[in-house]
Amino acid sequence: MKIEKMSDFFTVRVDGYDEHMLTNVPGCKEAYKIMAQLVPLEANSLLDLGCGTGLELDEIFKSNPKVEVTGIDLTQAMLDKLKEKHPDKKLELINASYFDHEFRKDHYDAAISFQTLHHFSPKEKVGLYTKIFAALKEKGQYLECDYMVEDPQEEAFYFR
């Protein structure tokens, strides 16, 4: 069985992605709004890991329209859709893996990740969390909204 590359998976689905997430994935529409409420209003710089088409940014821009965003995503088509939706925003969009891309040190007031890290193992996440911490300013905040599995055996089952 051939496994589809993640970037290919999302490229094929980019046109219906926003509608799917907002109407077919329970809780997403509300979670985007909640995440936006948790991002500090005084944040001037934001790192968005796995930004996709920017559904979380759609909400964040409502309360903080001037925030400068560095968005990283594996899928160029998703980044193109994000830029199309927000041509007037300060967006630095990077087509890369956030595991491989070097973040600016002590640069961001906040960093967010919305439903992207469930694809990765705890070991991979720890290394990423270290990078995120180094990228945040002294009082910077990291917000993560994702699926969680409480039982390590259940998580191992799903990874297999």
Side-chain angles (χ1 to χ4, degrees), residues 1-5 8:
M1 173 181 177
K2 183 179 177 191
I3 296 177
E4 186 176 22
K5 283 178 41 180
D8 293 342

Side-chain angles (χ1 to χ4, degrees), residues 41-123:
L41 287 175
E42 63 277 4
N44 294 315
S45 55
L46 176 71
L47 175 62
D48 189 348
L49 305 173
C51 61
T53 63
L55 287 166
E56 63 283 354
L57 294 173
D58 295 347
E59 295 299 327
I60 291 168
F61 288 144
K62 289 176 184 177
S63 58
N64 192 346
K66 301 216 184 271
V67 66
E68 295 181 14
V69 176
T70 300
I72 302 174
D73 201 275
L74 285 174
T75 308
Q76 185 60 51
M78 299 290 252
L79 296 173
D80 293 343
K81 181 70 82 174
L82 170 53
K83 186 66 175 169
E84 180 183 304
K85 286 172 28 178
H86 297 290
D88 60 329
K89 302 299 181 196
K90 294 180 182 173
L91 298 171
E92 177 187 7
L93 301 178
I94 301 164
N95 181 215
S97 164
Y98 44 69
F99 286 100
D100 300 330
H101 185 76
E102 288 301 317
F103 309 145
R104 283 178 254 165
K105 305 281 188 236
D106 301 312
H107 182 78
Y108 300 99
D109 297 308
I112 60 173
S113 174
F114 193 97
Q115 291 190 5
T116 66
L117 291 176
H118 60 272
H119 297 286
F120 305 102
S121 71
K123 183 178 179 182

Side-chain angles (χ1 to χ4, degrees), residues 10 16-39 46 48-63 73 78 85 112-116 118 143-147:
F10 286 106
Y17 181 80
D18 286 11
E19 180 69 21
H20 169 73
M21 294 301 289
L22 293 171
T23 60
N24 298 332
V25 181
C28 266
K29 189 173 187 176
E30 297 79 13
Y32 292 124
K33 292 175 183 177
I34 292 168
M35 177 173 265
Q37 293 170 357
L38 295 173
V39 173
L46 176 71
D48 189 348
L49 305 173
C51 61
T53 63
L55 287 166
E56 63 283 354
L57 294 173
D58 295 347
E59 295 299 327
I60 291 168
F61 288 144
K62 289 176 184 177
S63 58
D73 201 275
M78 299 290 252
K85 286 172 28 178
I112 60 173
S113 174
F114 193 97
Q115 291 190 5
T116 66
H118 60 272
L143 302 168
E144 182 178 332
C145 178
D146 214 323
Y147 303 103

